Amino acid sequence: MMLSSILALALMPAQAVPPATAPALGTLPRQQLPERGCAAYLWTVQDQRFVAMVEPTRLRLSIDGKAIDLAATQADGGGALGLASTTRYAGGGVTATLTMTIAQRETLQDGAIVSDASLSLARAGQDEVVVPVGGLVGCAPVARP
């Protein structure tokens, strides 16, 4: 009797469960350099789309076709040029974590290279997505003697 009950359960049609989807990371339009300080401009490694602009207190993204700004909630690590190596962001039901390595080079004036980075995005009830990114840091020009 027990085996027939298990078999009956196994053969029952599964209830339709909507698949969990990840936030759709879109392409940002051109962004300006900050008036003060520095910002990182990040592209996807896979298809070279411009997907994020990072300033010390916020992360700008395009999710599901809408540009949004997420506020920094926690920053860890030394980083460079006012940007932390790991920063967590939240806002509008979205959480994000950006981990990046900033490499300053003598050949770059008013900026640096983001040589290695990953951006993870999550929304309640949806899959989390981790996107490898890289890019440049641009800083507001400083008056030179």
Side-chain angles (χ1 to χ4, degrees):
M1 179 72 177
M2 179 99 151
L3 182 58
S4 62
S5 297
I6 293 173
L7 185 57
L9 284 173
L11 295 175
M12 289 179 72
Q15 293 182 349
V17 176
T21 59
L25 186 60
T27 302
L28 281 175
R30 172 178 261 181
Q31 302 291 305
Q32 298 296 317
L33 278 174
E35 290 185 23
R36 281 178 283 189
C38 301
Y41 302 86
L42 304 174
W43 288 264
T44 58
V45 170
Q46 181 179 6
D47 58 8
Q48 300 298 302
R49 290 181 306 113
F50 175 49
V51 294
M53 183 181 90
V54 182
E55 292 178 311
T57 60
R58 72 177 172 143
L59 169 66
R60 177 170 288 162
L61 307 165
S62 175
I63 296 184
D64 297 332
K66 285 179 59 175
I68 62 168
D69 288 339
L70 304 178
T73 59
Q74 181 181 358
D76 300 311
L81 300 171
L83 301 166
S85 58
T86 300
T87 308
R88 288 168 188 75
Y89 303 89
V94 177
T95 59
T97 302
L98 175 64
T99 303
M100 63 181 168
T101 301
I102 298 171
Q104 292 181 277
R105 305 238 169 103
E106 288 181 19
T107 56
L108 288 175
Q109 184 175 330
D110 298 327
I113 292 174
V114 178
S115 59
D116 180 44
S118 66
L119 175 63
S120 69
L121 299 170
R123 285 196 292 201
Q126 294 188 5
D127 290 338
E128 182 172 346
V129 63
V130 178
V131 180
V133 293
L136 294 169
V137 174
C139 301
V142 177
R144 292 178 182 28

